[in-house]
Amino acid sequence: MKYIYSLLIVTLLFASCGEGKKQSIEAVVASDNLENIRLKRAEVVAEQQKIAEQLKQLDNRIAVLDTTKKVPLITTFKAKQEVFTHYLELQGNVSTKNLLVIYPEFSGVLTKVYVKEGQRVNKGQILAKIDDGGLSQQLAQAQIQTNLSKTTYERQERLWNQKIGSELQYLQAKSNYEAQAQAVSQIKQQIAKTVVRAPFSGTIDDVITEQGSVVGAGQSQLMRIVNLDNMYIETDVPESYVTNVTVNKSVKVEFPILGKTIDAKIRQAGNFINPANRTFKIEVAVPNKDKSIKPNLTAKLKINDYTNNNALLIPLSIISENAEGQQYVYTIINKSGNKGTVKREIIETGRTQGDYIEVLSGIENDEEIIDEGARSVKDGQEVKILTSN
């Protein structure tokens, strides 16, 4: 408003004396008389100062009469009780207990590899064969000796039962047979180690050693087998959450690389606090029906550690803090129409989630709180409310 008044006054002043001064100034300038030009300039400067003083007086009076310009413009919202679900956000890597690099139990030449990469195998299926180094021939000879010792033992047993012969002969025949049978069993166990079998059902992820290579027991990596059915995520949780992060808690698992989010649950929570970093471990089972989730994939976990069904949430941006460290917000009282009075309320806050924070005390349900303009008002000040949500 003051700018309109100022513009009108300047326009009237110039309209009333503009043409005459313009002509006289032009005439003075055209005369090329330095003394006259200086005098005319002094007159114009004096008139300019007079106009500026008049504008100042008008502006001061406008400031007194126009009270609306002193009232801050704000927006408000009403605090509403709602369900507040807080999530603890962590990061972890996907693992599986069925991921294994297979080593041979017998040293020798890898004579046969029966599988290839990507092949699905069942538990106990033969994957490869190692040359037994003559154990088969030893087994055949031992089996012959066993059969002979068995026959001898059976005959001595019949004679002993008929009270023919000595007990010593009977016991020697029995001992010889049992020793031969034990030797056969040991050779069979050794031969069984030359056959590499799948320890569980899964997929051959990589064939590391090719057929014809010499392998060492417990040293040479033959192949890697993986099962993607039993996947899980293991991560560390701060000890402060030990009472809230428990078995069967709901977890939202996000895989940024895959662009997918799944719902899961905590299947195991550790009972040991690591003294080095004050954390405990948890396992989150991950369903993987489409086999898209791979071991060592990075995952983001959001664990529902706290829920309040009647929470009051406000934006973090409207909270201020005084010299004593107390947090406060501004509310509206004595509201009349679109005007009201500002009141400062000390509040106690709880957990945060994103841009909002839970208010534990200090404000009530349906209380009107200043949103935009909260940083520019003072306690007891009159304000004009533009919008209210």
Side-chain angles (χ1 to χ4, degrees):
M1 187 179 292
K2 75 174 184 177
Y3 297 108
I4 297 174
Y5 289 154
S6 300
L7 182 61
L8 288 174
I9 292 168
V10 173
T11 304
L12 290 173
L13 288 172
F14 276 102
S16 62
C17 56
E19 288 299 324
K21 287 184 178 180
K22 184 177 179 181
Q23 292 298 325
S24 61
I25 291 174
E26 290 175 352
V28 170
V29 172
S31 69
D32 288 336
N33 187 318
L34 180 60
E35 186 65 27
N36 290 339
I37 293 174
R38 287 177 173 172
L39 289 173
K40 178 54 69 177
R41 183 183 183 284
E43 291 178 7
V44 172
V45 170
E47 291 177 359
Q48 183 183 22
Q49 292 176 347
K50 183 179 179 181
I51 292 173
E53 182 64 28
Q54 291 173 343
L55 287 174
K56 184 178 180 180
Q57 293 177 6
L58 292 169
D59 289 340
N60 290 339
R61 190 56 184 167
I62 290 171
V64 173
L65 297 176
D66 187 10
T67 58
T68 59
K69 81 178 192 69
K70 289 186 176 182
V71 178
L73 304 178
I74 63 161
T75 64
T76 63
F77 69 94
K78 287 189 176 181
K80 295 290 186 183
Q81 290 183 340
E82 55 184 296
V83 177
F84 173 52
T85 304
H86 182 268
Y87 292 96
L88 170 64
E89 298 187 6
L90 300 169
Q91 184 169 309
N93 292 328
V94 178
S95 301
T96 175
K97 296 187 184 297
N98 292 333
L99 172 62
L100 183 66
V101 175
I102 299 176
Y103 290 82
E105 296 182 86
F106 193 86
S107 298
V109 178
L110 187 64
T111 57
K112 197 71 176 177
V113 176
Y114 298 104
V115 294
K116 57 184 179 180
E117 295 175 357
Q119 181 177 337
R120 177 76 182 178
V121 296
N122 296 318
K123 181 178 180 179
Q125 181 176 333
I126 298 176
L127 307 179
K129 179 71 171 65
I130 301 170
D131 180 64
D132 60 22
L135 285 178
S136 298
Q137 290 80 4
Q138 294 181 31
L139 177 62
Q141 294 175 4
Q143 191 68 57
I144 293 172
Q145 293 296 325
T146 303
N147 292 337
L148 176 59
S149 61
K150 181 180 180 182
T151 302
T152 302
Y153 163 64
E154 290 175 346
R155 288 181 178 179
Q156 287 292 336
E157 184 180 29
R158 286 196 296 270
L159 292 172
W160 176 248
N161 290 334
Q162 297 173 12
K163 305 300 183 181
I164 300 174
S166 67
E167 182 181 7
L168 180 59
Q169 290 176 323
Y170 164 70
L171 292 176
Q172 286 178 339
K174 179 180 179 182
S175 176
N176 188 42
Y177 167 64
E178 290 176 349
Q180 288 295 330
Q182 186 66 31
V184 168
S185 177
Q186 290 178 351
I187 296 173
K188 286 182 177 179
Q189 290 178 8
Q190 289 294 100
I191 292 176
K193 292 180 179 180
T194 66
V195 179
V196 181
R197 298 180 182 272
F200 51 81
S201 297
T203 302
I204 301 301
D205 187 61
D206 187 17
V207 176
I208 302 171
T209 303
E210 298 297 330
Q211 183 173 301
S213 302
V214 177
V215 298
Q219 298 178 353
S220 304
Q221 297 183 352
L222 298 183
M223 57 193 70
R224 181 167 52 246
I225 183 173
V226 60
N227 189 319
L228 300 180
D229 293 332
N230 185 20
M231 308 293 286
Y232 69 96
I233 299 170
E234 185 178 73
T235 190
D236 295 327
V237 181
E239 65 175 341
S240 56
Y241 294 94
V242 70
T243 58
N244 295 324
V245 179
T246 56
V247 174
N248 291 326
K249 276 281 186 177
S250 298
V251 183
K252 290 186 180 294
V253 183
E254 179 187 357
F255 299 97
I257 298 299
L258 302 179
K260 66 185 294 186
T261 301
I262 62 174
D263 293 323
K265 289 185 178 296
I266 297 175
R267 73 179 183 186
Q268 181 179 343
N271 296 314
F272 171 75
I273 304 297
N274 188 339
N277 56 12
R278 310 307 305 173
T279 63
F280 64 97
K281 290 188 178 295
I282 63 168
E283 282 187 11
V284 178
V286 178
N288 191 26
K289 293 182 179 180
D290 59 357
K291 304 296 186 293
S292 62
I293 302 171
K294 311 296 183 184
N296 298 317
L297 197 64
T298 299
K300 293 182 179 180
L301 307 179
K302 295 176 68 176
I303 304 172
N304 175 212
D305 64 316
Y306 171 77
T307 300
N308 185 350
N309 293 322
N310 298 303
L312 293 174
L313 302 180
I314 63 173
L316 281 165
S317 59
I318 69 171
I319 298 178
S320 300
E321 190 171 299
N322 60 22
E324 289 76 30
Q326 296 175 311
Q327 294 179 316
Y328 62 88
V329 295
Y330 289 110
T331 61
I332 295 296
I333 60 173
N334 302 327
K335 184 176 180 181
S336 177
N338 63 346
K339 291 185 179 180
T341 304
V342 176
K343 183 182 179 183
R344 187 175 69 174
E345 297 282 5
I346 302 296
I347 62 171
E348 181 183 354
T349 57
R351 301 171 188 258
T352 60
Q353 191 68 53
D355 296 330
Y356 289 85
I357 189 168
E358 177 189 24
V359 178
L360 302 178
S361 65
I363 59 175
E364 302 294 336
N365 190 38
D366 282 334
E367 193 164 356
E368 194 165 2
I369 303 172
I370 297 177
D371 187 2
E372 295 183 19
R375 301 286 185 180
S376 60
V377 298
K378 296 180 180 179
D379 190 27
Q381 188 177 19
E382 185 180 2
V383 293
K384 181 177 181 181
I385 304 168
L386 295 179
T387 58
S388 180
N389 297 325

